[in-house]
Amino acid sequence: MKEQKIWLSPPHMGGSELKYIQNAFDTNWISQYGSNIDEFEECLENYLGNNSFVTALSSGTAAIHLALKLLNVEEGDIVICQSFTFVATANPILYLKAVPVFVDSEADTWNMCPNALEDAIKSSLQKGKKPKAIITVSLYGMPFKADEILEISRKYEVPVIEDSAEALGSRYKGQLSGTFGDLSVISFNGNKIITTSGGGILVSKNEDYKNRALFLATQAKENKEYYSHSEQGYNYRISNILAGIGIGQMEILNERIDQKRQNHDFYREKIAQIENIELFSEPDDDFYSNYWLNTILIKKESGTSKEEVRKKFSENNIETRYLWKPMHLQPLYCAYDFFGNDLSGTLFDNGLCLPSGTNLTEGCKDRIAKVLENLW
Ligand SMILES: *Cc1c(COP(=O)(O)O)cnc(C)c1O
């Protein structure tokens, strides 16, 4: 008999989600309005603190798109973007016919390299174009180097959009991810640390941004007795049913972070005994990762490849995946400018994501350990 599949990061319900969905049914708010949405936003505003204003949307991608709109990004504008990320970070730049400029990662965090960022800004200024925004990412839950990136942002007066889609609950110097950017984004897609099946939020520091995001997310319908529209809007609001799942998931977020971090401890202990594999971990005490996904690098000396390792897991019905393929190496994006030394390309060549579900049992961990012990 084939053993049960171990997934990379499956959804993990807490138990109270159905109660909030039931409430939407009972009150018949099967809609993009309703008390679940208000409550979900309030829950997140309380959790994030730092005077955060939260707008709940249909996806994290929608939140990035609206963040660019709020910063008035238009056709031909330059937007600087971390190359090492999921494609959803960059696509909204093209939605607006703006021009992405990609920046490499640095070794400590795998996130945007401050030096390469400064090079990208200077080059853009030399061409007589000031970038409209910088999109940084907190990849796999690891916070980006906020102090250094924000200093550059202030120096050149280019606002930061923080894509912390994967990093709810992570902290840098004690401060929660999702509260650093002029605008920040968190995703509740099915594979993230908690989920609404599909959804996302835009986080801002001022209420005007929240009101404008809400306006754009609801078809830019003006406050009149009839349907009046002077601007192009979107249908990006979250559903009241999905927001109900979100409230239930927020109740167990801290438990999920603990579980993710316990997975990391498991891998750290195991991988310490295995030559030629390196586990990606917090560089120092300034960083507190939610360890959304655990990732490894396979050293050249091992004589094997990420594909060989992936296959060995797959033979045991265990899902692993390559790291995100950087944008500067993607057919869609390789023609755009790139600043850095291709560290992210090397990470992509040698890296693999390991199962990191919050519902990994001891039995699952034993199966994973066995594969790791028998790689070579
Ligand atoms: C998941 C993800 C997104 C997109 O979020 P969706 O809610 O799936 O649209 C954006 N950026 C990163 C880094 C992600 O991992």
Side-chain angles (χ1 to χ4, degrees), residues 59-61 64 85-86 88-89 137 139 163 165-166 187-189 192 199 292 324:
S59 72
T61 312
I64 296 169
T85 186
F86 177 51
T89 309
V137 185
L139 212 63
D163 179 355
E166 304 171 357
S187 165
F188 298 99
N189 188 26
K192 301 301 199 288
W292 171 58
W324 302 126

PDB file of all heavy atoms in Angstrom, residues 59-61 64 85-86 88-89 137 139 163 165-166 187-189 192 199 292 324, ligand 1:
ATOM      1  N   SER A  59      -6.918  38.653  -3.204  1.00  0.00           N
ATOM      2  CA  SER A  59      -5.629  37.948  -3.276  1.00  0.00           C
ATOM      3  C   SER A  59      -4.485  38.881  -2.913  1.00  0.00           C
ATOM      4  O   SER A  59      -4.644  40.112  -2.915  1.00  0.00           O
ATOM      5  CB  SER A  59      -5.387  37.401  -4.698  1.00  0.00           C
ATOM      6  OG  SER A  59      -5.092  38.466  -5.581  1.00  0.00           O
ATOM      7  N   GLY A  60      -3.336  38.271  -2.656  1.00  0.00           N
ATOM      8  CA  GLY A  60      -2.139  39.062  -2.433  1.00  0.00           C
ATOM      9  C   GLY A  60      -1.708  39.790  -3.697  1.00  0.00           C
ATOM     10  O   GLY A  60      -1.221  40.914  -3.644  1.00  0.00           O
ATOM     11  N   THR A  61      -1.911  39.146  -4.832  1.00  0.00           N
ATOM     12  CA  THR A  61      -1.566  39.771  -6.112  1.00  0.00           C
ATOM     13  C   THR A  61      -2.370  41.052  -6.319  1.00  0.00           C
ATOM     14  O   THR A  61      -1.835  42.085  -6.741  1.00  0.00           O
ATOM     15  CB  THR A  61      -1.832  38.787  -7.271  1.00  0.00           C
ATOM     16  OG1 THR A  61      -1.261  37.528  -6.949  1.00  0.00           O
ATOM     17  CG2 THR A  61      -1.248  39.292  -8.573  1.00  0.00           C
ATOM     18  N   ILE A  64      -0.855  43.803  -4.282  1.00  0.00           N
ATOM     19  CA  ILE A  64       0.337  44.408  -4.893  1.00  0.00           C
ATOM     20  C   ILE A  64      -0.079  45.358  -6.015  1.00  0.00           C
ATOM     21  O   ILE A  64       0.444  46.468  -6.141  1.00  0.00           O
ATOM     22  CB  ILE A  64       1.298  43.315  -5.408  1.00  0.00           C
ATOM     23  CG1 ILE A  64       1.821  42.472  -4.229  1.00  0.00           C
ATOM     24  CG2 ILE A  64       2.479  43.937  -6.175  1.00  0.00           C
ATOM     25  CD1 ILE A  64       2.555  41.210  -4.636  1.00  0.00           C
ATOM     26  N   THR A  85      11.824  35.651  -6.298  1.00  0.00           N
ATOM     27  CA  THR A  85      10.475  35.663  -5.740  1.00  0.00           C
ATOM     28  C   THR A  85       9.530  34.877  -6.633  1.00  0.00           C
ATOM     29  O   THR A  85       9.905  34.418  -7.715  1.00  0.00           O
ATOM     30  CB  THR A  85       9.961  37.121  -5.582  1.00  0.00           C
ATOM     31  OG1 THR A  85       8.701  37.110  -4.895  1.00  0.00           O
ATOM     32  CG2 THR A  85       9.768  37.813  -6.936  1.00  0.00           C
ATOM     33  N   PHE A  86       8.304  34.720  -6.160  1.00  0.00           N
ATOM     34  CA  PHE A  86       7.224  34.157  -6.971  1.00  0.00           C
ATOM     35  C   PHE A  86       6.752  35.236  -7.951  1.00  0.00           C
ATOM     36  O   PHE A  86       6.753  36.422  -7.627  1.00  0.00           O
ATOM     37  CB  PHE A  86       6.094  33.719  -6.031  1.00  0.00           C
ATOM     38  CG  PHE A  86       4.876  33.193  -6.707  1.00  0.00           C
ATOM     39  CD1 PHE A  86       4.965  32.192  -7.672  1.00  0.00           C
ATOM     40  CD2 PHE A  86       3.619  33.681  -6.369  1.00  0.00           C
ATOM     41  CE1 PHE A  86       3.827  31.694  -8.287  1.00  0.00           C
ATOM     42  CE2 PHE A  86       2.482  33.180  -6.977  1.00  0.00           C
ATOM     43  CZ  PHE A  86       2.584  32.191  -7.941  1.00  0.00           C
ATOM     44  N   ALA A  88       4.118  36.445  -8.881  1.00  0.00           N
ATOM     45  CA  ALA A  88       3.027  37.357  -8.498  1.00  0.00           C
ATOM     46  C   ALA A  88       3.550  38.689  -7.982  1.00  0.00           C
ATOM     47  O   ALA A  88       2.847  39.701  -8.029  1.00  0.00           O
ATOM     48  CB  ALA A  88       2.135  36.712  -7.446  1.00  0.00           C
ATOM     49  N   THR A  89       4.789  38.719  -7.476  1.00  0.00           N
ATOM     50  CA  THR A  89       5.372  39.980  -7.015  1.00  0.00           C
ATOM     51  C   THR A  89       5.531  40.949  -8.181  1.00  0.00           C
ATOM     52  O   THR A  89       5.289  42.156  -8.039  1.00  0.00           O
ATOM     53  CB  THR A  89       6.774  39.737  -6.394  1.00  0.00           C
ATOM     54  OG1 THR A  89       6.678  38.700  -5.428  1.00  0.00           O
ATOM     55  CG2 THR A  89       7.313  40.990  -5.749  1.00  0.00           C
ATOM     56  N   VAL A 137      10.790  41.673  -0.783  1.00  0.00           N
ATOM     57  CA  VAL A 137      10.074  40.442  -0.442  1.00  0.00           C
ATOM     58  C   VAL A 137      10.680  39.855   0.832  1.00  0.00           C
ATOM     59  O   VAL A 137      11.879  40.030   1.100  1.00  0.00           O
ATOM     60  CB  VAL A 137      10.179  39.419  -1.601  1.00  0.00           C
ATOM     61  CG1 VAL A 137       9.337  38.185  -1.316  1.00  0.00           C
ATOM     62  CG2 VAL A 137       9.749  40.053  -2.917  1.00  0.00           C
ATOM     63  N   LEU A 139      11.183  36.415   1.703  1.00  0.00           N
ATOM     64  CA  LEU A 139      11.054  35.125   1.025  1.00  0.00           C
ATOM     65  C   LEU A 139      11.069  33.954   2.011  1.00  0.00           C
ATOM     66  O   LEU A 139      11.908  33.904   2.899  1.00  0.00           O
ATOM     67  CB  LEU A 139      12.204  34.982   0.031  1.00  0.00           C
ATOM     68  CG  LEU A 139      11.884  34.186  -1.232  1.00  0.00           C
ATOM     69  CD1 LEU A 139      10.809  34.869  -2.054  1.00  0.00           C
ATOM     70  CD2 LEU A 139      13.133  33.988  -2.062  1.00  0.00           C
ATOM     71  N   ASP A 163       6.416  43.067   0.113  1.00  0.00           N
ATOM     72  CA  ASP A 163       5.692  41.836  -0.211  1.00  0.00           C
ATOM     73  C   ASP A 163       6.039  40.793   0.853  1.00  0.00           C
ATOM     74  O   ASP A 163       7.005  40.045   0.720  1.00  0.00           O
ATOM     75  CB  ASP A 163       6.062  41.351  -1.616  1.00  0.00           C
ATOM     76  CG  ASP A 163       5.347  40.055  -1.991  1.00  0.00           C
ATOM     77  OD1 ASP A 163       4.641  39.493  -1.130  1.00  0.00           O
ATOM     78  OD2 ASP A 163       5.498  39.601  -3.146  1.00  0.00           O
ATOM     79  N   ALA A 165       3.946  38.429   1.603  1.00  0.00           N
ATOM     80  CA  ALA A 165       2.913  37.426   1.332  1.00  0.00           C
ATOM     81  C   ALA A 165       3.154  36.140   2.119  1.00  0.00           C
ATOM     82  O   ALA A 165       2.217  35.502   2.589  1.00  0.00           O
ATOM     83  CB  ALA A 165       2.876  37.105  -0.165  1.00  0.00           C
ATOM     84  N   GLU A 166       4.450  35.781   2.280  1.00  0.00           N
ATOM     85  CA  GLU A 166       4.798  34.494   2.895  1.00  0.00           C
ATOM     86  C   GLU A 166       5.188  34.645   4.369  1.00  0.00           C
ATOM     87  O   GLU A 166       5.570  33.659   4.993  1.00  0.00           O
ATOM     88  CB  GLU A 166       5.993  33.887   2.123  1.00  0.00           C
ATOM     89  CG  GLU A 166       5.716  33.731   0.641  1.00  0.00           C
ATOM     90  CD  GLU A 166       6.952  33.328  -0.183  1.00  0.00           C
ATOM     91  OE1 GLU A 166       8.049  33.219   0.391  1.00  0.00           O
ATOM     92  OE2 GLU A 166       6.797  33.132  -1.408  1.00  0.00           O
ATOM     93  N   SER A 187      -0.484  37.472   2.029  1.00  0.00           N
ATOM     94  CA  SER A 187      -1.386  36.599   1.255  1.00  0.00           C
ATOM     95  C   SER A 187      -2.003  35.526   2.146  1.00  0.00           C
ATOM     96  O   SER A 187      -1.374  35.052   3.097  1.00  0.00           O
ATOM     97  CB  SER A 187      -0.604  35.929   0.125  1.00  0.00           C
ATOM     98  OG  SER A 187      -1.346  34.844  -0.409  1.00  0.00           O
ATOM     99  N   PHE A 188      -3.241  35.170   1.802  1.00  0.00           N
ATOM    100  CA  PHE A 188      -3.923  34.058   2.480  1.00  0.00           C
ATOM    101  C   PHE A 188      -4.290  32.978   1.475  1.00  0.00           C
ATOM    102  O   PHE A 188      -5.319  32.315   1.587  1.00  0.00           O
ATOM    103  CB  PHE A 188      -5.155  34.573   3.239  1.00  0.00           C
ATOM    104  CG  PHE A 188      -4.802  35.561   4.310  1.00  0.00           C
ATOM    105  CD1 PHE A 188      -4.918  36.927   4.082  1.00  0.00           C
ATOM    106  CD2 PHE A 188      -4.314  35.125   5.522  1.00  0.00           C
ATOM    107  CE1 PHE A 188      -4.555  37.837   5.051  1.00  0.00           C
ATOM    108  CE2 PHE A 188      -3.935  36.029   6.503  1.00  0.00           C
ATOM    109  CZ  PHE A 188      -4.062  37.390   6.278  1.00  0.00           C
ATOM    110  N   ASN A 189      -3.426  32.815   0.471  1.00  0.00           N
ATOM    111  CA  ASN A 189      -3.593  31.727  -0.499  1.00  0.00           C
ATOM    112  C   ASN A 189      -3.522  30.374   0.231  1.00  0.00           C
ATOM    113  O   ASN A 189      -3.010  30.290   1.345  1.00  0.00           O
ATOM    114  CB  ASN A 189      -2.477  31.857  -1.551  1.00  0.00           C
ATOM    115  CG  ASN A 189      -2.673  30.906  -2.708  1.00  0.00           C
ATOM    116  OD1 ASN A 189      -3.795  30.512  -3.008  1.00  0.00           O
ATOM    117  ND2 ASN A 189      -1.598  30.524  -3.351  1.00  0.00           N
ATOM    118  N   LYS A 192      -0.254  29.249   2.111  1.00  0.00           N
ATOM    119  CA  LYS A 192       0.439  30.118   3.059  1.00  0.00           C
ATOM    120  C   LYS A 192       0.222  29.644   4.503  1.00  0.00           C
ATOM    121  O   LYS A 192      -0.531  28.706   4.741  1.00  0.00           O
ATOM    122  CB  LYS A 192      -0.037  31.570   2.869  1.00  0.00           C
ATOM    123  CG  LYS A 192       0.212  32.128   1.461  1.00  0.00           C
ATOM    124  CD  LYS A 192       1.667  32.113   1.052  1.00  0.00           C
ATOM    125  CE  LYS A 192       2.023  33.026  -0.102  1.00  0.00           C
ATOM    126  NZ  LYS A 192       1.575  32.635  -1.437  1.00  0.00           N
ATOM    127  N   GLY A 199      -7.029  34.867  -0.864  1.00  0.00           N
ATOM    128  CA  GLY A 199      -7.258  36.175  -0.252  1.00  0.00           C
ATOM    129  C   GLY A 199      -5.946  36.850   0.049  1.00  0.00           C
ATOM    130  O   GLY A 199      -4.879  36.236  -0.044  1.00  0.00           O
ATOM    131  N   TRP A 292       7.896  29.624   6.920  1.00  0.00           N
ATOM    132  CA  TRP A 292       6.787  29.156   6.076  1.00  0.00           C
ATOM    133  C   TRP A 292       7.199  27.903   5.302  1.00  0.00           C
ATOM    134  O   TRP A 292       6.488  26.904   5.321  1.00  0.00           O
ATOM    135  CB  TRP A 292       6.365  30.264   5.110  1.00  0.00           C
ATOM    136  CG  TRP A 292       5.396  29.805   4.078  1.00  0.00           C
ATOM    137  CD1 TRP A 292       4.177  29.234   4.306  1.00  0.00           C
ATOM    138  CD2 TRP A 292       5.568  29.846   2.663  1.00  0.00           C
ATOM    139  NE1 TRP A 292       3.579  28.928   3.112  1.00  0.00           N
ATOM    140  CE2 TRP A 292       4.411  29.285   2.094  1.00  0.00           C
ATOM    141  CE3 TRP A 292       6.586  30.305   1.818  1.00  0.00           C
ATOM    142  CZ2 TRP A 292       4.247  29.179   0.709  1.00  0.00           C
ATOM    143  CZ3 TRP A 292       6.416  30.203   0.448  1.00  0.00           C
ATOM    144  CH2 TRP A 292       5.252  29.643  -0.088  1.00  0.00           C
ATOM    145  N   TRP A 324      11.983  29.239  -5.889  1.00  0.00           N
ATOM    146  CA  TRP A 324      11.450  30.121  -6.933  1.00  0.00           C
ATOM    147  C   TRP A 324      12.543  30.389  -7.968  1.00  0.00           C
ATOM    148  O   TRP A 324      13.680  30.681  -7.611  1.00  0.00           O
ATOM    149  CB  TRP A 324      11.004  31.471  -6.346  1.00  0.00           C
ATOM    150  CG  TRP A 324       9.970  31.433  -5.272  1.00  0.00           C
ATOM    151  CD1 TRP A 324      10.072  32.013  -4.038  1.00  0.00           C
ATOM    152  CD2 TRP A 324       8.652  30.856  -5.317  1.00  0.00           C
ATOM    153  NE1 TRP A 324       8.919  31.808  -3.316  1.00  0.00           N
ATOM    154  CE2 TRP A 324       8.034  31.105  -4.082  1.00  0.00           C
ATOM    155  CE3 TRP A 324       7.939  30.144  -6.283  1.00  0.00           C
ATOM    156  CZ2 TRP A 324       6.747  30.675  -3.775  1.00  0.00           C
ATOM    157  CZ3 TRP A 324       6.657  29.707  -5.983  1.00  0.00           C
ATOM    158  CH2 TRP A 324       6.077  29.981  -4.751  1.00  0.00           C
TER     159      TRP A 324
HETATM  160  C1  LIG B   1       1.752  33.846  -2.653  1.00  0.00           C
HETATM  161  C2  LIG B   1       2.588  34.997  -3.032  1.00  0.00           C
HETATM  162  C3  LIG B   1       2.056  36.131  -3.656  1.00  0.00           C
HETATM  163  C4  LIG B   1       0.670  36.207  -4.201  1.00  0.00           C
HETATM  164  O1  LIG B   1      -0.350  36.008  -3.301  1.00  0.00           O
HETATM  165  P1  LIG B   1      -1.762  35.442  -3.850  1.00  0.00           P
HETATM  166  O2  LIG B   1      -2.630  35.627  -2.651  1.00  0.00           O
HETATM  167  O3  LIG B   1      -1.546  34.024  -4.218  1.00  0.00           O
HETATM  168  O4  LIG B   1      -2.169  36.284  -4.995  1.00  0.00           O
HETATM  169  C5  LIG B   1       2.879  37.220  -3.880  1.00  0.00           C
HETATM  170  N1  LIG B   1       4.175  37.199  -3.542  1.00  0.00           N
HETATM  171  C6  LIG B   1       4.736  36.125  -2.953  1.00  0.00           C
HETATM  172  C7  LIG B   1       6.175  36.183  -2.583  1.00  0.00           C
HETATM  173  C8  LIG B   1       3.972  34.981  -2.713  1.00  0.00           C
HETATM  174  O5  LIG B   1       4.540  33.900  -2.181  1.00  0.00           O
END
